[in-house]
Amino acid sequence: MEPPMEPSGGEQEPGAVRFLDLPWEDVLLPHVLNRVPLRQLLRLQRVSRAFRSLVQLHLAGLRRFDAAQVGPQIPRAALARLLRDAEGLQELALAPCHEWLSDEDLVPVLARNPQLRSVALGGCGQLSRRALGALAEGCPRLQRLSLAHCDWVDGLALRGLADRCPALEELDLTACRQLKDEAIVYLAQRRGAGLRSLSLAVN
């Protein structure tokens, strides 16, 4: 249901149609907001409460979220606000959050989005095995995962991923220096037939 519109503060010509008068679900969300860059949407929601409601409705229906579209750095509060209602994400990329992203930030997002198929966490060094366990257990359709330069990824974490992600096709373990031969052998035995891409560079 659309929220009540705020007064525009100016005269409106008889018969004129305002932007927010257009059908939200049939016109604005699928044909307009989908073409607006995420950074511009954040500015748009400051215009009025009605625009804020429209943008939040759009964010709740996102299938793909790349934090790089917001900017080279994104504050923790901003990420939480952007993803608080998202429950249908299929792709999630959080590299710009690498300096502060923690299990407490990520795990609730994973729990709300079990349809995730692609997750990029390259350089997110503040995470732990707990985040990877939540991903492996809660997102069984996962196909692509980047953990490049995540020093916390160890053999036990990789085993959980190999056991619980039967659809895994692409895995980036660049510079995951805790990994030993045994963990890679286990991954190959469990998921090798389905893997199309595996990076073990700088290990």
Side-chain angles (χ1 to χ4, degrees):
M1 175 172 297
E2 299 178 12
M5 300 297 106
E6 292 184 4
S8 62
E11 295 291 332
Q12 183 174 342
E13 296 181 14
V17 177
R18 293 180 298 180
F19 180 77
L20 290 173
D21 290 335
L22 296 171
W24 287 20
E25 282 81 3
D26 297 331
V27 177
L28 294 183
L29 293 177
H31 300 295
V32 179
L33 267 67
N34 274 344
R35 291 169 170 78
V36 179
L38 189 56
R39 188 182 301 184
Q40 301 302 323
L41 286 176
L42 298 182
R43 295 176 181 171
L44 182 64
Q45 69 178 352
R46 300 175 190 162
V47 173
S48 68
R49 282 180 295 186
F51 270 108
R52 184 163 61 249
S53 296
L54 175 63
V55 171
Q56 287 175 347
L57 189 60
H58 169 72
L59 293 173
L62 284 180
R63 295 291 176 267
R64 180 179 184 273
F65 180 86
D66 184 350
Q69 293 180 355
V70 180
Q73 294 182 333
I74 175 172
R76 174 180 275 113
L79 182 72
R81 196 162 52 245
L82 287 169
L83 295 179
R84 68 183 180 189
D85 297 320
E87 296 182 351
L89 288 174
Q90 295 181 6
E91 299 181 34
L92 179 64
L94 297 176
C97 310
H98 67 276
E99 291 186 355
W100 53 261
L101 188 71
S102 68
D103 295 348
E104 288 69 27
D105 302 310
L106 181 61
V107 170
V109 177
L110 299 177
R112 292 194 300 270
N113 293 275
Q115 307 300 322
L116 278 167
R117 298 181 182 182
S118 177
V119 177
L121 300 172
C124 294
Q126 305 301 315
L127 297 174
S128 75
R129 190 188 302 149
R130 177 185 165 216
L132 195 56
L135 179 62
E137 190 169 333
C139 303
R141 298 185 182 184
L142 188 67
Q143 297 174 339
R144 296 179 298 278
L145 177 61
S146 173
L147 296 170
H149 301 277
C150 290
D151 288 336
W152 50 268
V153 178
D154 59 12
L156 189 58
L158 190 62
R159 281 175 171 262
L161 193 68
D163 288 339
R164 297 190 179 99
C165 295
L168 193 62
E169 296 179 352
E170 300 177 19
L171 181 59
D172 187 352
L173 297 172
T174 300
C176 293
R177 295 186 178 89
Q178 287 198 54
L179 294 176
K180 306 298 182 185
D181 291 353
E182 294 78 8
I184 303 304
V185 169
Y186 188 83
L187 173 69
Q189 291 172 339
R190 295 287 292 172
R191 298 273 74 86
L195 282 175
R196 296 181 181 180
S197 175
L198 173 63
S199 175
L200 296 171
V202 203
N203 285 322

